[in-house]
Amino acid sequence: MIKLISFKNCPFVQRVMGSLIMKNIPFEIEYIELSNKPQWFLDIAPNGQVPVLITEDETVLFESDAIVEYLDDKYTPIEALTPEQKAQDRAWSYQASKHYMPQCGTMGSKDKETFETRLTNLAKAFAKAENKLGESPFFKGDYISNVDIAWLPLLHRAFVIKNKSGVDMLAGFPKVQKWQAALIASGLTEKTVPQDFVTTFSNFYLTNTYLADVMNGEEGNCELSSCSAVSSACCQ
């Protein structure tokens, strides 16, 4: 059986899990602590980061983009696409995945000014999606595609942040908000994270950060050293 090596808060891993689940591929998952990576993991992971996928023939794959493409090549794709359509999907998926770390940094900001500056930059990605989205619930229609799976981690984390702190990272983007709601309602988010995700996520991004201060009504009390540790603890 396929094995996925993961970290509970990692958006890149959530994307890979989304692909596995949508393709109905059986897999097992093992979570590690990034602050205490086991030697066996370091021995097999060239970049020392998650996700790592071990195939049925025990080939070790790393980098989420490569893993998702492998799953498309190896197993039945979610939809039949021409090479041009596949290239477009990969481009729109990259528009999401390249913003995973910037979102982590935004959520880990230590003060209002830093948060707002980073959110302004992050919002450029949401603006691109807003301009592309139509009236259908998902990116390409009434079904979940690879593009939806790629954007899922960004939209899911924005959903948790809004629910916990009241800060809407998608403010001003009604089509993206509608898209977010459709993905949440689909149930895929819950299937692609561990049961204690909200707790572990909150421990990273809603403790000793600007968002934590907003949530607790105590803006401006975040210590730099704590915030820096939080913002870097994404998937390194």
Side-chain angles (χ1 to χ4, degrees), residues 207-221:
T207 302
N208 294 322
T209 62
Y210 167 71
L211 286 172
D213 294 337
V214 171
M215 184 174 66
N216 298 323
E218 302 173 354
E219 293 185 26
N221 295 327

Side-chain angles (χ1 to χ4, degrees), residues 104 108 204-205 207-209 223-234:
C104 290
F204 273 111
Y205 297 111
T207 302
N208 294 322
T209 62
E223 296 181 2
L224 176 60
S225 58
S226 298
C227 287
S228 296
V230 171
S231 63
S232 63
C234 185

Side-chain angles (χ1 to χ4, degrees), residues 5-225:
I5 312 301
S6 176
F7 167 59
K8 289 186 175 182
N9 281 345
C10 183
F12 298 93
V13 171
Q14 185 175 16
R15 178 189 177 191
V16 172
M17 287 187 68
S19 184
L20 288 165
I21 289 168
M22 288 301 298
K23 293 175 181 292
N24 295 312
I25 302 172
F27 69 98
E28 60 179 321
I29 188 166
E30 180 171 350
Y31 293 106
I32 64 170
E33 294 295 333
L34 293 190
S35 60
N36 185 27
K37 299 173 184 176
Q39 188 58 47
W40 63 262
F41 172 76
L42 296 174
D43 290 340
I44 66 172
N47 59 1
Q49 299 175 0
V50 293
V52 165
L53 185 139
I54 304 175
T55 69
E56 293 173 315
D57 65 1
E58 299 187 351
T59 299
V60 176
L61 304 179
F62 64 104
E63 295 290 350
S64 60
D65 286 331
I67 293 173
V68 169
E69 290 183 17
Y70 162 79
L71 294 175
D72 258 356
D73 292 339
K74 177 74 173 181
Y75 302 92
T76 302
I78 293 175
E79 57 180 325
L81 298 173
T82 66
E84 291 79 11
Q85 290 171 330
K86 185 178 293 187
Q88 288 180 331
D89 277 12
R90 287 175 175 172
W92 276 105
S93 295
Y94 179 65
Q95 289 301 310
S97 64
K98 73 177 183 179
H99 287 95
Y100 292 170
M101 293 300 287
Q103 187 185 46
C104 290
T106 301
M107 296 183 299
S109 299
K110 68 182 182 67
D111 55 47
K112 181 178 181 179
E113 181 179 2
T114 302
F115 175 82
E116 291 183 345
T117 298
R118 291 175 175 174
L119 182 59
T120 297
N121 290 328
L122 180 62
K124 295 175 183 177
F126 298 134
K128 292 178 182 178
E130 182 76 13
N131 291 333
K132 177 65 175 178
L133 289 167
E135 298 303 318
S136 60
F138 301 110
F139 190 83
K140 300 173 67 178
D142 296 328
Y143 61 94
I144 295 175
S145 69
N146 282 334
V147 179
D148 297 286
I149 295 170
W151 283 82
L152 177 67
L154 290 175
L155 302 182
H156 184 204
R157 282 154 177 73
F159 173 80
V160 175
I161 289 296
K162 182 179 180 181
N163 277 358
K164 300 290 285 187
S165 72
V167 175
D168 189 356
M169 303 179 80
L170 305 181
F173 303 113
K175 290 183 179 179
V176 178
Q177 291 173 329
K178 179 182 176 182
W179 184 22
Q180 177 194 52
L183 282 170
I184 298 298
S186 75
L188 185 59
T189 52
E190 297 177 0
K191 297 176 182 178
T192 54
V193 292
Q195 290 185 343
D196 61 347
F197 171 77
V198 173
T199 298
T200 58
F201 177 87
S202 298
N203 288 340
F204 273 111
Y205 297 111
L206 294 173
T207 302
N208 294 322
T209 62
Y210 167 71
L211 286 172
D213 294 337
V214 171
M215 184 174 66
N216 298 323
E218 302 173 354
E219 293 185 26
N221 295 327
C222 177
E223 296 181 2
L224 176 60
S225 58

